Amino acid sequence: GGIITQTPKFLIGQEGQKLTLKCQQNFNHDTMYWYRQDSGKGLRLIYYSITENDLQKGDLSEGYDASREKKSSFSLTVTSAQKNEMAVFLCASRRGDQDTQYFGPGTRLLVL
Amino acid sequence: GMPVEQNPPALSLYEGADSGLRCNFSTTMKSVQWFQQNHRGRLITLFYLAQGTKENGRLKSTFNSKERYSTLHIKDAQLEDSGTYFCAAETSSGQKLVFGQGTILKVYL
């Protein structure tokens, strides 16, 4: 078995602030993902990475940067937080291209 | 239209009832996953299918790539089945999942 951890669990930021979210997995999975979920909605892909130092844009990449520093970790940066923004950011990982994605517990963002 | 259309948006069931959820795809998908999101927001993987049918306890899922749909059937619904269910399909071109909008399921006594 393995686990995906996301830090922090809750993140409160100010408008215009740069905010970084972190994700770690010990599955030894190749591919990692960042999704955004707004209240009552489905998940939308922000960035994904198929191996260390790789980066692929999803449908929602504008306003975000990402970094795959090593195989086990994938971080996401909100480049300029938007006032009244509220969402959950979910990290996921997967072994290959024919396997299940496993999700972390999420980081809840609130921008004041 | 939406690449993944999920129905119904909401579903209310009495304990012990059976029901189904469905996702239709606008294009041929490589695989589908079904998730349950609990009240804490945690996504739990229920099924991964590249084709055919899988069963796990009271849950059964089918994926028909050619006909572009997938279903999730819940038998003998229990209170703990309440939550939001998502289907997510992988396009043939890449490793990305496209999510449906979810079905909010409430099970009552």
Side-chain angles (χ1 to χ4, degrees), chain A residues 8 11 18 26 29 32 34 36 43 50-52 60 62 65 72-73 77 82 84 90-91 99 105 110-111:
Chain A
L11 184 54
K18 190 172 172 179
N26 63 359
H29 284 169
M32 294 184 74
W34 275 107
R36 175 186 166 120
L43 280 69
I50 60 174
T51 189
E52 186 178 333
L60 204 65
E62 192 163 329
D65 283 327
S72 62
S73 68
T77 299
Q82 300 297 305
N84 298 322
L90 290 155
C91 174
D99 206 355
L110 175 62
V111 182

PDB file of all heavy atoms in Angstrom, chain A residues 8 11 18 26 29 32 34 36 43 50-52 60 62 65 72-73 77 82 84 90-91 99 105 110-111:
ATOM      1  N   PRO A   8      -0.516  22.414   2.852  1.00  0.00           N
ATOM      2  CA  PRO A   8      -1.231  22.247   4.101  1.00  0.00           C
ATOM      3  C   PRO A   8      -2.639  21.691   3.863  1.00  0.00           C
ATOM      4  O   PRO A   8      -3.073  21.615   2.722  1.00  0.00           O
ATOM      5  CB  PRO A   8      -1.296  23.680   4.641  1.00  0.00           C
ATOM      6  CG  PRO A   8      -1.367  24.524   3.411  1.00  0.00           C
ATOM      7  CD  PRO A   8      -0.530  23.817   2.371  1.00  0.00           C
ATOM      8  N   LEU A  11      -5.511  26.457   3.705  1.00  0.00           N
ATOM      9  CA  LEU A  11      -4.640  27.559   3.304  1.00  0.00           C
ATOM     10  C   LEU A  11      -5.488  28.812   3.150  1.00  0.00           C
ATOM     11  O   LEU A  11      -6.436  28.828   2.349  1.00  0.00           O
ATOM     12  CB  LEU A  11      -3.945  27.212   1.986  1.00  0.00           C
ATOM     13  CG  LEU A  11      -2.911  28.173   1.427  1.00  0.00           C
ATOM     14  CD1 LEU A  11      -1.832  28.481   2.442  1.00  0.00           C
ATOM     15  CD2 LEU A  11      -2.288  27.581   0.171  1.00  0.00           C
ATOM     16  N   LYS A  18       1.197  34.924  -3.585  1.00  0.00           N
ATOM     17  CA  LYS A  18       1.652  33.696  -4.237  1.00  0.00           C
ATOM     18  C   LYS A  18       1.583  32.588  -3.195  1.00  0.00           C
ATOM     19  O   LYS A  18       2.115  32.730  -2.090  1.00  0.00           O
ATOM     20  CB  LYS A  18       3.092  33.897  -4.704  1.00  0.00           C
ATOM     21  CG  LYS A  18       3.656  32.847  -5.596  1.00  0.00           C
ATOM     22  CD  LYS A  18       5.013  33.343  -6.084  1.00  0.00           C
ATOM     23  CE  LYS A  18       5.753  32.293  -6.833  1.00  0.00           C
ATOM     24  NZ  LYS A  18       7.059  32.803  -7.316  1.00  0.00           N
ATOM     25  N   ASN A  26       4.119   7.947  -1.809  1.00  0.00           N
ATOM     26  CA  ASN A  26       5.127   6.903  -1.616  1.00  0.00           C
ATOM     27  C   ASN A  26       4.734   5.605  -2.332  1.00  0.00           C
ATOM     28  O   ASN A  26       5.176   4.521  -1.944  1.00  0.00           O
ATOM     29  CB  ASN A  26       5.384   6.666  -0.126  1.00  0.00           C
ATOM     30  CG  ASN A  26       4.155   6.147   0.603  1.00  0.00           C
ATOM     31  OD1 ASN A  26       3.093   5.971   0.016  1.00  0.00           O
ATOM     32  ND2 ASN A  26       4.293   5.900   1.888  1.00  0.00           N
ATOM     33  N   HIS A  29       4.795   5.990  -7.892  1.00  0.00           N
ATOM     34  CA  HIS A  29       4.060   6.188  -9.143  1.00  0.00           C
ATOM     35  C   HIS A  29       4.794   7.156 -10.064  1.00  0.00           C
ATOM     36  O   HIS A  29       5.452   8.099  -9.617  1.00  0.00           O
ATOM     37  CB  HIS A  29       2.663   6.740  -8.852  1.00  0.00           C
ATOM     38  CG  HIS A  29       1.723   5.704  -8.341  1.00  0.00           C
ATOM     39  ND1 HIS A  29       0.492   6.031  -7.802  1.00  0.00           N
ATOM     40  CD2 HIS A  29       1.800   4.356  -8.288  1.00  0.00           C
ATOM     41  CE1 HIS A  29      -0.129   4.931  -7.444  1.00  0.00           C
ATOM     42  NE2 HIS A  29       0.642   3.895  -7.719  1.00  0.00           N
ATOM     43  N   MET A  32       1.818  12.139 -11.792  1.00  0.00           N
ATOM     44  CA  MET A  32       1.124  12.868 -10.728  1.00  0.00           C
ATOM     45  C   MET A  32       0.289  13.986 -11.339  1.00  0.00           C
ATOM     46  O   MET A  32       0.604  14.496 -12.426  1.00  0.00           O
ATOM     47  CB  MET A  32       2.124  13.435  -9.714  1.00  0.00           C
ATOM     48  CG  MET A  32       2.859  12.333  -8.945  1.00  0.00           C
ATOM     49  SD  MET A  32       3.954  12.932  -7.656  1.00  0.00           S
ATOM     50  CE  MET A  32       2.778  13.429  -6.390  1.00  0.00           C
ATOM     51  N   TRP A  34      -2.541  17.500 -10.541  1.00  0.00           N
ATOM     52  CA  TRP A  34      -3.204  18.487  -9.692  1.00  0.00           C
ATOM     53  C   TRP A  34      -4.546  18.843 -10.312  1.00  0.00           C
ATOM     54  O   TRP A  34      -4.627  19.193 -11.500  1.00  0.00           O
ATOM     55  CB  TRP A  34      -2.384  19.768  -9.561  1.00  0.00           C
ATOM     56  CG  TRP A  34      -1.343  19.718  -8.496  1.00  0.00           C
ATOM     57  CD1 TRP A  34       0.002  19.619  -8.640  1.00  0.00           C
ATOM     58  CD2 TRP A  34      -1.574  19.780  -7.080  1.00  0.00           C
ATOM     59  NE1 TRP A  34       0.623  19.609  -7.420  1.00  0.00           N
ATOM     60  CE2 TRP A  34      -0.320  19.711  -6.438  1.00  0.00           C
ATOM     61  CE3 TRP A  34      -2.715  19.902  -6.276  1.00  0.00           C
ATOM     62  CZ2 TRP A  34      -0.167  19.746  -5.064  1.00  0.00           C
ATOM     63  CZ3 TRP A  34      -2.578  19.932  -4.909  1.00  0.00           C
ATOM     64  CH2 TRP A  34      -1.307  19.861  -4.318  1.00  0.00           C
ATOM     65  N   ARG A  36      -8.431  20.958  -9.510  1.00  0.00           N
ATOM     66  CA  ARG A  36      -9.170  21.934  -8.703  1.00  0.00           C
ATOM     67  C   ARG A  36     -10.633  21.506  -8.679  1.00  0.00           C
ATOM     68  O   ARG A  36     -11.192  21.098  -9.708  1.00  0.00           O
ATOM     69  CB  ARG A  36      -9.048  23.315  -9.347  1.00  0.00           C
ATOM     70  CG  ARG A  36      -9.863  24.389  -8.661  1.00  0.00           C
ATOM     71  CD  ARG A  36      -9.818  25.687  -9.441  1.00  0.00           C
ATOM     72  NE  ARG A  36     -10.852  26.585  -8.960  1.00  0.00           N
ATOM     73  CZ  ARG A  36     -10.591  27.789  -8.444  1.00  0.00           C
ATOM     74  NH1 ARG A  36      -9.346  28.242  -8.379  1.00  0.00           N
ATOM     75  NH2 ARG A  36     -11.584  28.546  -8.018  1.00  0.00           N
ATOM     76  N   LEU A  43     -14.107  17.715 -10.914  1.00  0.00           N
ATOM     77  CA  LEU A  43     -12.700  18.099 -10.851  1.00  0.00           C
ATOM     78  C   LEU A  43     -12.209  18.580 -12.216  1.00  0.00           C
ATOM     79  O   LEU A  43     -12.597  18.022 -13.246  1.00  0.00           O
ATOM     80  CB  LEU A  43     -11.851  16.893 -10.422  1.00  0.00           C
ATOM     81  CG  LEU A  43     -11.817  16.565  -8.936  1.00  0.00           C
ATOM     82  CD1 LEU A  43     -13.143  16.047  -8.426  1.00  0.00           C
ATOM     83  CD2 LEU A  43     -10.716  15.547  -8.663  1.00  0.00           C
ATOM     84  N   ILE A  50       4.373  13.308 -16.056  1.00  0.00           N
ATOM     85  CA  ILE A  50       4.480  11.870 -16.278  1.00  0.00           C
ATOM     86  C   ILE A  50       5.798  11.288 -15.760  1.00  0.00           C
ATOM     87  O   ILE A  50       5.963  10.072 -15.693  1.00  0.00           O
ATOM     88  CB  ILE A  50       4.267  11.490 -17.764  1.00  0.00           C
ATOM     89  CG1 ILE A  50       5.309  12.169 -18.659  1.00  0.00           C
ATOM     90  CG2 ILE A  50       2.862  11.830 -18.208  1.00  0.00           C
ATOM     91  CD1 ILE A  50       5.207  11.699 -20.117  1.00  0.00           C
ATOM     92  N   THR A  51       6.717  12.178 -15.383  1.00  0.00           N
ATOM     93  CA  THR A  51       7.963  11.712 -14.771  1.00  0.00           C
ATOM     94  C   THR A  51       8.645  12.912 -14.130  1.00  0.00           C
ATOM     95  O   THR A  51       8.229  14.054 -14.339  1.00  0.00           O
ATOM     96  CB  THR A  51       8.872  11.045 -15.819  1.00  0.00           C
ATOM     97  OG1 THR A  51       9.978  10.427 -15.160  1.00  0.00           O
ATOM     98  CG2 THR A  51       9.392  12.050 -16.828  1.00  0.00           C
ATOM     99  N   GLU A  52       9.693  12.643 -13.373  1.00  0.00           N
ATOM    100  CA  GLU A  52      10.437  13.723 -12.719  1.00  0.00           C
ATOM    101  C   GLU A  52      10.856  14.779 -13.747  1.00  0.00           C
ATOM    102  O   GLU A  52      11.294  14.443 -14.846  1.00  0.00           O
ATOM    103  CB  GLU A  52      11.682  13.111 -12.070  1.00  0.00           C
ATOM    104  CG  GLU A  52      12.484  14.061 -11.231  1.00  0.00           C
ATOM    105  CD  GLU A  52      13.669  13.352 -10.585  1.00  0.00           C
ATOM    106  OE1 GLU A  52      13.582  12.132 -10.362  1.00  0.00           O
ATOM    107  OE2 GLU A  52      14.666  14.027 -10.324  1.00  0.00           O
ATOM    108  N   LEU A  60      -6.882  23.944 -17.038  1.00  0.00           N
ATOM    109  CA  LEU A  60      -7.054  25.094 -16.136  1.00  0.00           C
ATOM    110  C   LEU A  60      -5.703  25.648 -15.686  1.00  0.00           C
ATOM    111  O   LEU A  60      -5.581  26.157 -14.591  1.00  0.00           O
ATOM    112  CB  LEU A  60      -7.854  24.607 -14.913  1.00  0.00           C
ATOM    113  CG  LEU A  60      -8.645  25.626 -14.113  1.00  0.00           C
ATOM    114  CD1 LEU A  60      -9.754  26.220 -14.948  1.00  0.00           C
ATOM    115  CD2 LEU A  60      -9.229  24.961 -12.875  1.00  0.00           C
ATOM    116  N   GLU A  62      -3.882  28.238 -16.519  1.00  0.00           N
ATOM    117  CA  GLU A  62      -3.627  29.682 -16.418  1.00  0.00           C
ATOM    118  C   GLU A  62      -3.791  30.160 -14.977  1.00  0.00           C
ATOM    119  O   GLU A  62      -4.804  29.881 -14.337  1.00  0.00           O
ATOM    120  CB  GLU A  62      -4.578  30.456 -17.324  1.00  0.00           C
ATOM    121  CG  GLU A  62      -4.167  31.902 -17.488  1.00  0.00           C
ATOM    122  CD  GLU A  62      -4.830  32.572 -18.669  1.00  0.00           C
ATOM    123  OE1 GLU A  62      -5.125  31.890 -19.664  1.00  0.00           O
ATOM    124  OE2 GLU A  62      -5.067  33.787 -18.576  1.00  0.00           O
ATOM    125  N   ASP A  65       1.451  27.634 -11.552  1.00  0.00           N
ATOM    126  CA  ASP A  65       2.704  27.004 -11.960  1.00  0.00           C
ATOM    127  C   ASP A  65       2.803  25.685 -11.210  1.00  0.00           C
ATOM    128  O   ASP A  65       2.186  25.524 -10.151  1.00  0.00           O
ATOM    129  CB  ASP A  65       3.917  27.868 -11.577  1.00  0.00           C
ATOM    130  CG  ASP A  65       4.097  29.028 -12.526  1.00  0.00           C
ATOM    131  OD1 ASP A  65       3.778  28.876 -13.713  1.00  0.00           O
ATOM    132  OD2 ASP A  65       4.564  30.094 -12.068  1.00  0.00           O
ATOM    133  N   SER A  72       8.645  11.543  -6.219  1.00  0.00           N
ATOM    134  CA  SER A  72       7.648  11.413  -5.164  1.00  0.00           C
ATOM    135  C   SER A  72       6.909  12.707  -4.850  1.00  0.00           C
ATOM    136  O   SER A  72       5.956  12.681  -4.080  1.00  0.00           O
ATOM    137  CB  SER A  72       8.310  10.893  -3.888  1.00  0.00           C
ATOM    138  OG  SER A  72       9.295  11.820  -3.443  1.00  0.00           O
ATOM    139  N   SER A  73       7.326  13.835  -5.388  1.00  0.00           N
ATOM    140  CA  SER A  73       6.671  15.080  -4.995  1.00  0.00           C
ATOM    141  C   SER A  73       6.327  15.975  -6.178  1.00  0.00           C
ATOM    142  O   SER A  73       7.045  16.022  -7.191  1.00  0.00           O
ATOM    143  CB  SER A  73       7.531  15.849  -3.990  1.00  0.00           C
ATOM    144  OG  SER A  73       8.687  16.319  -4.612  1.00  0.00           O
ATOM    145  N   THR A  77       1.737  26.034  -7.511  1.00  0.00           N
ATOM    146  CA  THR A  77       1.760  27.414  -7.044  1.00  0.00           C
ATOM    147  C   THR A  77       0.625  28.199  -7.679  1.00  0.00           C
ATOM    148  O   THR A  77       0.465  28.182  -8.903  1.00  0.00           O
ATOM    149  CB  THR A  77       3.104  28.087  -7.381  1.00  0.00           C
ATOM    150  OG1 THR A  77       4.156  27.386  -6.730  1.00  0.00           O
ATOM    151  CG2 THR A  77       3.125  29.541  -6.920  1.00  0.00           C
ATOM    152  N   GLN A  82      -6.830  35.076  -6.165  1.00  0.00           N
ATOM    153  CA  GLN A  82      -7.954  35.954  -6.500  1.00  0.00           C
ATOM    154  C   GLN A  82      -8.856  36.135  -5.288  1.00  0.00           C
ATOM    155  O   GLN A  82      -9.191  35.159  -4.611  1.00  0.00           O
ATOM    156  CB  GLN A  82      -8.775  35.319  -7.642  1.00  0.00           C
ATOM    157  CG  GLN A  82      -7.971  35.090  -8.908  1.00  0.00           C
ATOM    158  CD  GLN A  82      -7.470  36.372  -9.507  1.00  0.00           C
ATOM    159  OE1 GLN A  82      -8.245  37.279  -9.790  1.00  0.00           O
ATOM    160  NE2 GLN A  82      -6.156  36.463  -9.691  1.00  0.00           N
ATOM    161  N   ASN A  84     -11.815  36.338  -2.743  1.00  0.00           N
ATOM    162  CA  ASN A  84     -13.024  35.515  -2.567  1.00  0.00           C
ATOM    163  C   ASN A  84     -12.918  34.141  -3.236  1.00  0.00           C
ATOM    164  O   ASN A  84     -13.914  33.432  -3.342  1.00  0.00           O
ATOM    165  CB  ASN A  84     -14.273  36.234  -3.076  1.00  0.00           C
ATOM    166  CG  ASN A  84     -14.536  37.505  -2.305  1.00  0.00           C
ATOM    167  OD1 ASN A  84     -14.329  37.555  -1.103  1.00  0.00           O
ATOM    168  ND2 ASN A  84     -14.974  38.532  -3.001  1.00  0.00           N
ATOM    169  N   LEU A  90      -6.866  19.023  -5.284  1.00  0.00           N
ATOM    170  CA  LEU A  90      -6.631  17.600  -5.072  1.00  0.00           C
ATOM    171  C   LEU A  90      -5.451  17.120  -5.896  1.00  0.00           C
ATOM    172  O   LEU A  90      -5.361  17.398  -7.099  1.00  0.00           O
ATOM    173  CB  LEU A  90      -7.882  16.804  -5.453  1.00  0.00           C
ATOM    174  CG  LEU A  90      -9.054  16.993  -4.492  1.00  0.00           C
ATOM    175  CD1 LEU A  90     -10.378  16.717  -5.169  1.00  0.00           C
ATOM    176  CD2 LEU A  90      -8.896  16.086  -3.285  1.00  0.00           C
ATOM    177  N   CYS A  91      -4.577  16.388  -5.239  1.00  0.00           N
ATOM    178  CA  CYS A  91      -3.421  15.794  -5.897  1.00  0.00           C
ATOM    179  C   CYS A  91      -3.719  14.312  -6.114  1.00  0.00           C
ATOM    180  O   CYS A  91      -4.405  13.687  -5.289  1.00  0.00           O
ATOM    181  CB  CYS A  91      -2.200  15.967  -5.002  1.00  0.00           C
ATOM    182  SG  CYS A  91      -0.709  15.146  -5.577  1.00  0.00           S
ATOM    183  N   ASP A  99      -3.959   2.329 -15.305  1.00  0.00           N
ATOM    184  CA  ASP A  99      -4.152   2.025 -13.894  1.00  0.00           C
ATOM    185  C   ASP A  99      -4.985   3.113 -13.230  1.00  0.00           C
ATOM    186  O   ASP A  99      -5.202   4.181 -13.791  1.00  0.00           O
ATOM    187  CB  ASP A  99      -2.800   1.901 -13.199  1.00  0.00           C
ATOM    188  CG  ASP A  99      -2.872   1.016 -11.965  1.00  0.00           C
ATOM    189  OD1 ASP A  99      -3.990   0.592 -11.608  1.00  0.00           O
ATOM    190  OD2 ASP A  99      -1.828   0.749 -11.366  1.00  0.00           O
ATOM    191  N   PRO A 105      -5.934  13.782   0.240  1.00  0.00           N
ATOM    192  CA  PRO A 105      -7.081  14.305   0.985  1.00  0.00           C
ATOM    193  C   PRO A 105      -7.488  15.726   0.606  1.00  0.00           C
ATOM    194  O   PRO A 105      -8.559  16.179   0.976  1.00  0.00           O
ATOM    195  CB  PRO A 105      -6.611  14.255   2.438  1.00  0.00           C
ATOM    196  CG  PRO A 105      -5.126  14.349   2.342  1.00  0.00           C
ATOM    197  CD  PRO A 105      -4.737  13.683   1.072  1.00  0.00           C
ATOM    198  N   LEU A 110      -8.827  29.319   0.827  1.00  0.00           N
ATOM    199  CA  LEU A 110      -9.734  30.452   0.971  1.00  0.00           C
ATOM    200  C   LEU A 110      -8.916  31.723   0.826  1.00  0.00           C
ATOM    201  O   LEU A 110      -7.897  31.879   1.507  1.00  0.00           O
ATOM    202  CB  LEU A 110     -10.430  30.416   2.333  1.00  0.00           C
ATOM    203  CG  LEU A 110     -11.316  31.600   2.669  1.00  0.00           C
ATOM    204  CD1 LEU A 110     -12.467  31.724   1.680  1.00  0.00           C
ATOM    205  CD2 LEU A 110     -11.845  31.501   4.089  1.00  0.00           C
ATOM    206  N   VAL A 111      -9.326  32.595  -0.047  1.00  0.00           N
ATOM    207  CA  VAL A 111      -8.633  33.866  -0.257  1.00  0.00           C
ATOM    208  C   VAL A 111      -9.517  34.998   0.247  1.00  0.00           C
ATOM    209  O   VAL A 111     -10.663  35.135  -0.169  1.00  0.00           O
ATOM    210  CB  VAL A 111      -8.291  34.072  -1.742  1.00  0.00           C
ATOM    211  CG1 VAL A 111      -7.525  35.389  -1.927  1.00  0.00           C
ATOM    212  CG2 VAL A 111      -7.474  32.914  -2.273  1.00  0.00           C
TER     213      VAL A 111
END
